[in-house]
Every structure is written in C-alpha cells, then in structure tokens.
C-alpha cells in the first residue's frame, strides 16, 4: 500500500499560529510534514490560506469545524471555503451537550451527521467526528456513545480516531479500528502515558505498530495527523520531535 502521509493538527502550535501563521506553516513544511489540519484560521480568508499552503508545498488534510458551520445556510458557505483551501475533511471535534446528553441525543446526532454527509458527498467532501475521552464513558444504557454514534452513521461519516484521547478514556484504539473497518480516513496520532503527561509520540504506552498495521490494512486511513497538547519542549520543537520519532518507526 502507498505510504500514508503525515499531517499536523495546528492546535498543537496554536499560540505560535496566532502570532505568525505563515511562519508556522513554513516551519512545519521544513520539518517534513506534508499537510496541516486547521483548528481556526487566525483572521485569514480562504484564498490567503490556500496561497500559504501552496507556497510552502502543504496540503490541507482536514479542519476541525463547529457543527453550526454545517447546518442550514452555513453549509454552502463552508463548502465554498473548504473547496478553496483544498480540504475535503470537515471534522466536528466536539458537540454541545444537547447533542450528547443521552442515547436518544446521540441517535439524533447520528441522523443529523448522515444528512450532512449526504449533502457533502456530491462535492467530494466528508464530515466526521473526533473523539475526546468522554465518548468512551458508558451511557445510562451501558452502551458507549462512540458505538451508538458509529453503529448508526453511514460509512460516509468519518471516524477520526484520536488514539491518545481514547486511551485517556480507558479505550484501546485497536478495538474500534477493528470494529469499524474503513471508517478511520484520518487518524490523530497522539501519545498517552500513565507516568509522563508530556510524553511525545513513541515515548508512552501506545502500541503504535499495531495501530499503524490496522490503519494500513483495514482502516482506510488516508492521513496520519500528529497532535501534541503537552509540552516538554517549546511546541514547535515538540512537533518536530514527534515527526522524527515517527520517521524512526518507519513512517
């Protein structure tokens, strides 16, 4: 199989992005990242962002977007914006409580995301959902929110699995990559360590070779996306070290 490219979730270096987004994109490209996933645009418009990406040879491998940007009249604006920046993955990174407070709420959310996915499909775009740790805390029915949601969404809804967040919630990514094959089109490569809260990728408890094997065989994964939210070094140095550690693992 073709090598899966590695992108960076820019939330990892958000304070640096707020000060100098072009400088961060240039630095990230020089490190060897092939793409970036946005979490906010720091005042830049779509055409400006696209020019920066093109100038530095980066692709947009996704964006974290609020659910409100995918509803009603906002959806058409979002489609235009993301087409301009070359992004096909519109990932919802969390939801207000009314979408998640019960099994019934999760079922309504699943139906809503199916509708959004159907509207994006003709544009060659996807929506999806990104986990934190709470999706692996059982509901009143004993079921996991993650399972209620992904067993009731169509295969068009991307399962953006955050490996570290899941482990924080007591869940093993491998279980869910096997349970929902072909759904993990983009995967957040985030470390988890029970003893070192500043561990970089490859320095913690995750069995990365198992995760990579599943992504590259049954996951349907198109992008690995590094996310680092704790810092033993300055954030840009952390994400550089993360990429070097991945390269040392053969990625």
């Amino acid at each position: 199989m073709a090598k899966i490219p590695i992108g960076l979730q820019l939330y990892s270096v958000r304070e640096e992005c707020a000060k100098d987004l072009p400088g961060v994109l240039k630095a990230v490209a020089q490190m060897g990242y092939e793409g970036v996933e946005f979490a906010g645009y720091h005042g830049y418009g779509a055409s400006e962002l696209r020019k920066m990406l093109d100038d530095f040879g980066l692709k947009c491998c996704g964006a974290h977007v609020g659910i409100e940007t995918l509803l009603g009249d906002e959806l058409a604006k979002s489609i235009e914006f993301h087409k301009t920046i070359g992004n096909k993955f519109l990932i919802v990174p969390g939801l207000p409580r009314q979408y998640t407070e019960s099994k019934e709420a999760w079922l309504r959310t699943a139906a809503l995301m199916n509708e959004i996915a159907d509207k994006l499909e003709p544009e060659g775009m996807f929506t999806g959902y990104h986990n934190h740790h709470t999706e692996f805390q059982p509901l009143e029915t004993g079921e996991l929110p993650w399972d209620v949601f992904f067993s009731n969404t169509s295969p068009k809804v991307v399962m953006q699995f955050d490996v570290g967040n899941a482990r924080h919630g007591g869940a093993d990514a491998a279980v869910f990559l096997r349970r929902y094959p072909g759904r993990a089109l983009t995967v957040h490569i985030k470390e988890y360590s029970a003893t070192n809260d500043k561990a970089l990728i490859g320095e913690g408890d995750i069995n990365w070779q198992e995760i990579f094997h599943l992504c590259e065989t049954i996951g349907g994964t198109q992008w690995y996306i590094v996310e680092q939210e704790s810092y033993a070094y300055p954030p840009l140095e952390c994400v550089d070290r993360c990429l070097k550690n991945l390269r040392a693992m053969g990625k």
Side-chain angles (χ1 to χ4, degrees):
M1 127 158 217
K3 197 173 174 100
I4 295 174
I6 300 173
L8 176 68
Q9 166 50 265
L10 290 173
Y11 190 77
S12 309
V13 288
R14 57 195 176 278
E15 291 181 7
E16 291 73 14
C17 288
K19 291 175 195 156
D20 180 12
L21 182 61
V24 169
L25 294 177
K26 182 178 181 181
V28 165
Q30 287 174 339
M31 289 172 196
Y33 283 98
E34 293 175 62
V36 292
E37 183 177 51
F38 286 99
Y41 310 105
H42 307 286
Y44 290 95
S47 55
E48 296 172 295
L49 293 169
R50 180 58 182 265
K51 183 176 188 312
M52 281 186 248
L53 293 171
D54 290 347
D55 284 349
F56 301 125
L58 291 166
K59 294 186 170 73
C60 181
C61 58
H64 279 186
V65 301
I67 185 75
E68 68 281 355
T69 69
L70 304 177
L71 302 177
D73 294 341
E74 292 301 309
L75 182 61
K77 296 179 201 169
S78 290
I79 288 170
E80 183 181 0
F81 182 95
H82 291 281
K83 277 196 166 171
T84 301
I85 66 171
N87 174 40
K88 64 180 183 178
F89 295 112
L90 285 66
I91 306 295
V92 177
L95 288 160
R97 182 163 161 69
Q98 70 262 32
Y99 291 91
T100 65
E101 62 191 354
S102 64
K103 180 179 179 179
E104 289 69 33
W106 276 105
L107 289 170
R108 288 194 299 272
T109 301
L112 178 62
M113 294 291 274
N114 284 338
E115 288 176 25
I116 295 166
D118 286 342
K119 290 173 182 171
L120 288 173
E121 187 179 26
E123 311 291 342
M125 300 165 102
F126 299 87
T127 192
Y129 188 69
H130 166 276
N131 62 284
H132 291 85
H133 66 280
T134 53
E135 292 85 1
F136 303 97
Q137 313 296 311
L139 294 161
E140 67 279 1
T141 60
E143 298 160 281
L144 297 180
W146 197 252
D147 286 326
V148 172
F149 183 76
F150 279 102
S151 60
N152 288 283
T153 42
S154 83
K156 300 172 196 168
V157 177
V158 174
M159 180 178 78
Q160 187 182 70
F161 209 93
D162 185 306
V163 176
N165 282 356
R167 189 66 172 269
H168 178 59
D172 178 359
V175 170
F176 296 92
L177 293 170
R178 290 190 182 97
R179 189 172 295 169
Y180 303 104
R183 303 286 298 270
L185 301 192
T186 66
V187 172
H188 267 219
I189 305 299
K190 185 189 293 174
E191 190 55 85
Y192 173 84
S193 168
T195 56
N196 174 13
D197 65 0
K198 293 184 172 62
L200 301 176
I201 294 163
E203 298 175 358
D205 304 337
I206 305 288
N207 180 349
W208 286 112
Q209 292 306 331
E210 179 183 33
I211 301 298
F212 296 144
H213 174 72
L214 291 168
C215 289
E216 290 163 23
T217 54
I218 64 169
T221 305
Q222 297 180 22
W223 281 93
Y224 292 136
I225 301 176
V226 167
E227 186 173 28
Q228 185 71 27
E229 294 186 73
S230 57
Y231 309 103
Y233 310 93
L236 279 165
E237 183 179 344
C238 284
V239 300
D240 188 26
R241 285 171 178 258
C242 283
L243 184 59
K244 287 184 167 79
N245 289 355
L246 285 168
R247 297 286 190 233
M249 292 185 224
K251 296 298 125 193

